[in-house]
Amino acid sequence: MSSLSTSTLASTPVIGRKKRDVAYLLSLGFLLIVVAAALLAPWVAPYAANAVDFTAIWQAPGAGHLLGTDQVGQDLFSRLIHGARESLLGPLALLALATLFGVTIGTVAAWNGGWLDVLLARITDVMFAFPGLLFVVLVIAVFGKGPATAIVALALAYAPVIAKFTRSLALAEMARPYVDAYRVQGVGGFLLCVRYIIPNLTPPLLGYLVVLFGEGLMSLATLSFLGFGAQPPSSEWGLMVQEGQSGIIQGHIWPTLVPGAAIAAVVVAVNVVGVRLSDRLNSRFER
Amino acid sequence: MLLDIDNLSLTITANGLVNPILDTVSLSVDAGEVVGLVGESGSGKSTTARAVLRLYPHTAAVEGSITVGGTEVLSASRDELHRVRSSEAAMIHQDPRAALNPVRRIGDSLTERLVHVLGVSRSDAAAAGLELLAAVGIRQPEERMRQYPHELSGGMLQRVVIAAALTGQPKLLLADEATSALDVTTQAEVLAILRDLQVQRGLGVLLITHDLHLAAAYCDRVYVMYRGRIVEELRGNDLFHGAQHEYTRRLLSAVPAIGHLPNSESRAS
Amino acid sequence: MSEYVLEVDGLQKAFRVGAGEVVACNNVSFTIPPGGSMGLVGESGSGKSTIARMLVGLETPDAGTIHVRGRQLGLQERGRAARLRRAKEIQMVFQDPYGSLDRRLTVAQCLDQAMRLHGVSGSARVAALLDQVGLLAKHGDSKPHQLSGGQRQRVAIARCLAIEPSVMVLDEAVSALDVSVQAQILALLNEIRASSGIALLFVSHDLAVVSEVTDDVLVMYRGSILEQGPTGRVLNAPESSYTKLLISSMPGPGWDPADVLERRAAFEAKVGV
């Protein structure tokens, strides 16, 4: 009964929730459209990604070219859609890799404690103190540039962050008596972690990963912008920003603005959805 | 009357279902009186206590009247409600660890209300904090003020919580299962202090408990709650022998007891 | 075959606290006969929960032996087979009915997984278990948060029974429940003991509860057993001054907190704390 009253008290006021509902639905709708466009790029895009047209360079958005053209007359809207695949799959791959490492390390550290835990704490401390981008550039300097290296390098940078988050969640989870109950039944450490503890961490972890997805998208775009990630003739969004840059000085802002806005819009939408998603999952799984 | 609850009804509507939580509850607590409120979980004990501070979900429909020191709580303005909560009535919960911020020192938890709510200067608040800790029987209060909650035992923490509840010099204490999680000795410690304070300051105490033996031994009067209603009011001494209502009798018969306790012998020794 | 289901001999455990050591369990020995029920009472910090946790393998004793049905349990199990063997001997019901069940699993899944771990399965068995602990078949589809505290504790008991242990340890298993629910669970435990012959070790701070379900009782204080004997005798005519103190500290007619504190101070002065 007391839990009833506290939970109702803690819930957000009705008006605030409605506003958030609208933001959530708009964001979700936007993301679905972006994903659909990425999947259907060859059919949806009016032009090929690299269709050069020197008769129509530096065009502003208009009827022929929905979002304008760049310095060699490539249609920005089409490039955006074609580039969406790489721009979205990149952070996805990066997160998958980082999650695999991070969740494994974090759970093992929480379960075993001892020197492993200390080691993890030291590594994460170093990673936090060391600028992530610098680390990534270092890895790229050793292994060469390209999208795959950029993804692996960023995954290595993100893994400790996820590991630390997982560790704190796992520690709280392991303090719950049901974990002792499984041990008393004779369930071993490995099975206990994989079958029971990690699934119970999923709701909060998923919300966090969605937010990290936005961050990953930005980081990958940044690397491409710097020339370390995607390489021409790709139309990855970060690379598009970089290529469009040369026009700014002459007053042609569209080739930079369009991919830049796309990145920002996706990141914001992903964050809105992520926060809402984790709220929902958490409330469903709590108690 | 210090606390007067008159025909209080509270219903919560959730998902189209109307849930009556409290049904025409009437009870009173006078200054200098310890009044017990007993019943099983879900009977509405805690909801009643929370309603005194107008702590109920905004979706609740409430009828009746609650007056604390003459102020009608249910229709009180923001300022009046603030005054009731800060200096008329205070609540003590079962779990002191949940009531104290784990990363703040005892002293900070104790004085923040004085500083931020009652506008006392920091040095005066510190002095008042020390005095309060001494009042709840804590030795070396200076040292305790510097400690964190995890460094203190459960009984000690519950005393800190009582001290914190006393900061606004309330006249009414609402103790919601405040000693249920404690060992018998620690429980006695906390209750002895509570009784001292109650006598010295003329406090009215509403003691919510599921321990019928405790209610009988410690309270002047006891109300028995069942499914949101008060089914019986008894003098503490009469709880075990004078109960008329069938539910009270059933509740009493479920209380585990040690055969025939040699209580009187061991007390005499 | 030994004449005892559970034999604990010379159990020892100390925890490091800062620079010092706290002895949670000091040379504790006791036995429980088949179908017997032993109470283990004491205040928080007396070491009673540590003993419970050592029995089920959640803590490793520093020294001592534990025999179940004449077979010695390892101090610490290594490997799947050894873990399962121990689980088959001793099971435990925890205090917190809200946290001791996995919130993701339905009741039926919870019971089924426990059985499958030990190589048995079948929905018929789940139904029988639910029935045995006084739950309805429909409760099998419920998740823990849909059940009351008493129902959850019944599920926890069913989960123990699913493994068919020789000994069941109940660590404050009814402390969080209302008195009427408490009475029902205690009745259920008595019934299970009578029908299955599972021996019970009932760990609790509540003397009255212990008196309802146990034949014998151990009274612990600061890691040591101060008194043991038949429950009726120990609680009605205690010999140890500590047992007397505990009993007289319980709220009852004529109880006064100030007296309790006085007696406590006198006791502690005597034992020299």
Side-chain angles (χ1 to χ4, degrees):
Chain A
M1 177 199 56
S2 59
S3 64
L4 171 99
S5 45
T6 43
S7 65
T8 329
L9 271 177
S11 65
T12 28
V14 181
I15 299 172
R17 202 151 63 191
K18 269 193 186 139
K19 262 187 197 156
R20 272 179 32 183
D21 272 345
V22 172
Y24 168 69
L25 289 175
L26 280 178
S27 301
L28 194 65
F30 174 70
L31 287 179
L32 287 177
I33 291 171
V34 171
V35 170
L39 289 175
L40 304 172
W43 297 280
V44 181
Y47 298 86
N50 302 305
V52 174
D53 179 359
F54 287 105
T55 62
I57 62 169
W58 298 134
Q59 290 205 348
H65 298 280
L66 206 57
L67 294 176
T69 60
D70 63 8
Q71 74 278 14
V72 290
Q74 301 183 108
D75 179 57
L76 287 174
F77 181 58
S78 302
R79 283 181 70 72
L80 202 61
I81 291 179
H82 283 287
R85 278 193 190 178
E86 194 177 345
S87 304
L88 298 180
L89 280 180
L92 207 64
L94 140 66
L95 274 196
L97 211 56
T99 305
L100 185 71
F101 289 138
V103 168
T104 308
I105 296 170
T107 311
V108 171
W111 183 257
N112 280 32
W115 64 268
L116 212 79
D117 201 14
V118 174
L119 186 68
L120 170 75
R122 289 296 153 270
I123 292 175
T124 36
D125 285 349
V126 170
M127 291 301 275
F128 275 122
F130 204 73
L133 211 55
L134 200 60
F135 168 81
V136 172
V137 170
L138 216 68
V139 172
I140 290 172
V142 175
F143 293 99
K145 59 186 180 179
T149 323
I151 286 170
V152 173
L154 273 175
L156 289 179
Y158 277 27
V161 183
I162 297 176
K164 197 163 188 171
F165 187 68
T166 305
R167 177 185 169 276
S168 68
L169 287 177
L171 277 179
E173 198 62 26
M174 285 163 190
R176 292 185 184 236
Y178 82 86
V179 173
D180 276 349
Y182 277 131
R183 287 177 66 194
V184 170
Q185 281 177 28
V187 180
F190 180 74
L191 192 65
L192 186 53
C193 288
V194 173
R195 271 262 295 275
Y196 303 108
I197 294 177
I198 291 177
N200 276 330
L201 304 183
T202 310
L205 203 55
L206 216 57
Y208 185 60
L209 288 178
V210 172
V211 173
L212 273 188
F213 177 89
E215 223 173 277
L217 197 158
M218 292 262 267
S219 305
L220 270 178
T222 307
L223 286 181
S224 298
F225 177 83
L226 294 174
F228 298 128
Q231 302 297 321
S234 162
S235 63
E236 199 268 352
W237 296 350
L239 189 60
M240 278 178 76
V241 174
Q242 192 265 332
E243 287 173 348
Q245 224 188 350
S246 59
I248 290 181
I249 223 166
Q250 304 163 46
H252 304 298
I253 55 163
W254 296 103
T256 319
L257 192 65
V258 165
I263 293 171
V266 168
V267 170
V268 168
V270 159
N271 278 333
V272 170
V273 171
V275 167
R276 182 57 183 270
L277 197 71
S278 64
D279 278 2
R280 219 182 247 186
L281 288 169
N282 277 328
S283 64
R284 192 185 305 165
F285 271 76
E286 262 328 298
R287 301 189 21 110
Chain B
M1 276 301 154
L2 183 55
L3 168 67
D4 213 332
I5 300 181
D6 191 29
N7 273 313
L8 180 71
S9 293
L10 190 151
T11 39
I12 289 177
T13 309
N15 305 325
L17 285 172
V18 180
N19 256 324
I21 309 288
L22 300 178
D23 184 5
T24 58
V25 169
S26 294
L27 65 83
S28 62
V29 179
D30 212 348
E33 197 183 23
V34 179
V35 175
L37 187 56
V38 303
E40 300 191 273
S41 34
S43 63
K45 307 182 300 263
S46 298
T47 309
T48 305
R50 293 172 61 84
V52 172
L53 298 177
R54 214 161 96 190
L55 293 168
Y56 41 73
H58 55 89
T59 52
V62 187
E63 275 174 55
S65 137
I66 301 174
T67 54
V68 177
T71 308
E72 172 58 57
V73 174
L74 297 181
S75 60
S77 68
R78 190 179 271 262
D79 287 350
E80 283 174 328
L81 188 62
H82 180 85
R83 193 179 49 78
V84 167
R85 287 180 182 171
S86 64
S87 54
E88 291 281 344
M91 180 115 93
I92 307 162
H93 296 280
Q94 173 166 4
D95 184 4
R97 285 182 206 280
L100 294 168
N101 187 339
V103 296
R104 305 197 59 192
R105 294 174 198 277
I106 299 294
D108 295 335
S109 294
L110 205 54
T111 53
E112 67 175 358
R113 214 171 118 180
L114 285 167
V115 174
H116 297 296
V117 180
L118 301 167
V120 177
S121 79
R122 241 165 234 292
S123 55
D124 287 353
L130 286 175
E131 218 170 275
L132 286 169
L133 286 183
V136 294
I138 288 179
R139 275 165 278 178
Q140 300 155 321
E142 291 89 352
E143 196 183 316
R144 300 286 175 243
M145 295 274 274
R146 282 193 296 273
Q147 285 179 310
Y148 289 93
H150 72 265
E151 297 174 88
L152 303 183
S153 70
M156 188 80 85
L157 281 181
Q158 197 57 294
R159 285 195 259 173
V160 170
V161 169
I162 293 174
L166 293 173
T167 48
Q169 305 204 316
K171 296 164 196 76
L172 175 68
L173 280 186
L174 306 161
D176 189 356
E177 301 281 8
T179 62
S180 302
L182 304 175
D183 281 325
V184 278
T185 314
T186 325
Q187 166 172 281
E189 254 172 47
V190 171
L191 289 176
I193 285 156
L194 204 57
R195 171 156 288 169
D196 284 350
L197 290 168
Q198 179 242 332
V199 170
Q200 286 163 16
R201 302 180 177 217
L203 295 176
V205 178
L206 183 65
L207 186 83
I208 294 169
T209 178
H210 66 273
D211 186 339
L212 300 174
H213 283 294
L214 175 67
Y218 192 73
C219 299
D220 302 317
R221 283 185 300 125
V222 178
Y223 292 97
V224 183
M225 262 193 115
Y226 176 59
R227 295 198 173 181
R229 283 167 164 269
I230 295 214
V231 295
E232 191 156 15
E233 179 194 348
L234 291 154
R235 280 170 17 93
N237 294 334
D238 296 338
L239 181 60
F240 274 81
H241 304 292
Q244 300 293 320
H245 195 276
E246 201 221 317
Y247 172 73
T248 315
R249 291 189 184 178
R250 234 182 331 127
L251 195 61
L252 290 168
S253 71
V255 175
I258 303 176
H260 297 285
L261 276 183
N263 254 342
S264 42
E265 295 164 40
S266 58
R267 286 231 155 93
S269 63
Chain C
M1 190 96 169
S2 159
E3 61 176 306
Y4 296 112
V5 174
L6 179 67
E7 283 180 86
V8 173
D9 193 37
L11 214 53
Q12 195 83 29
K13 176 79 182 175
F15 291 105
R16 258 191 295 281
V17 176
E21 245 190 11
V22 172
V23 179
C25 176
N26 182 21
N27 193 19
V28 166
S29 307
F30 62 91
T31 55
I32 307 181
S37 174
M38 172 74 85
L40 182 54
V41 302
E43 298 180 276
S44 51
S46 63
K48 58 187 193 308
S49 282
T50 304
I51 291 180
R53 293 175 65 81
M54 286 193 285
L55 288 177
V56 294
L58 290 173
E59 297 283 355
T60 311
D62 296 338
T65 59
I66 302 166
H67 286 82
V68 179
R69 295 189 184 280
R71 222 171 50 196
Q72 182 166 354
L73 298 183
L75 293 185
Q76 195 182 10
E77 263 66 32
R78 293 244 169 247
R80 183 179 154 85
R83 271 200 314 269
L84 291 177
R85 215 179 306 125
R86 184 192 204 113
K88 193 88 190 144
E89 303 289 10
I90 310 190
Q91 276 302 306
M92 174 146 138
V93 179
F94 294 81
Q95 165 167 15
D96 178 9
Y98 297 93
S100 66
L101 300 174
D102 190 336
R103 58 196 182 283
R104 228 163 24 90
L105 303 184
T106 66
V107 170
Q109 286 170 335
C110 163
L111 299 181
D112 191 52
Q113 295 212 348
M115 284 189 291
R116 258 192 292 162
L117 196 64
H118 291 268
V120 257
S121 189
S123 53
R125 178 93 178 96
V126 169
L129 280 170
L130 288 175
D131 184 58
Q132 194 179 355
V133 297
L135 290 173
L136 302 172
K138 66 165 185 183
H139 289 129
D141 299 325
S142 305
K143 292 254 180 109
H145 73 266
Q146 296 165 310
L147 302 175
S148 69
Q151 288 171 331
R152 289 184 215 193
Q153 226 44 338
R154 286 174 194 268
V155 175
I157 292 170
R159 181 174 59 186
C160 292
L161 296 176
I163 297 173
E164 298 176 326
S166 312
V167 181
M168 205 154 114
V169 178
L170 299 117
D171 189 2
E172 301 280 7
V174 300
S175 303
L177 305 175
D178 278 324
V179 280
S180 62
V181 182
Q182 208 172 54
Q184 290 164 11
I185 299 288
L186 294 180
L188 172 66
L189 289 171
N190 275 329
E191 202 180 293
I192 286 169
R193 179 156 78 103
S195 64
S196 67
I198 294 176
L200 304 183
L201 179 69
F202 206 94
V203 181
S204 179
H205 70 279
D206 190 333
L207 300 175
V209 162
V210 164
S211 81
E212 300 226 330
V213 278
T214 64
D215 306 328
D216 296 281
V217 67
L218 306 162
V219 180
M220 282 195 77
Y221 176 70
R222 301 200 170 207
S224 299
I225 294 176
L226 290 194
E227 180 160 14
Q228 59 183 307
T231 307
R233 201 279 295 153
V234 171
L235 297 186
N236 286 308
E239 285 163 9
S240 151
S241 54
Y242 179 69
T243 314
K244 286 180 190 166
L245 176 75
L246 266 190
I247 292 171
S248 69
S249 300
M250 291 168 60
W255 174 86
D256 182 337
D259 292 351
V260 173
L261 297 184
E262 223 168 89
R263 281 194 299 271
R264 178 75 182 204
F267 170 78
E268 289 189 340
K270 203 168 73 185
V271 297
V273 181

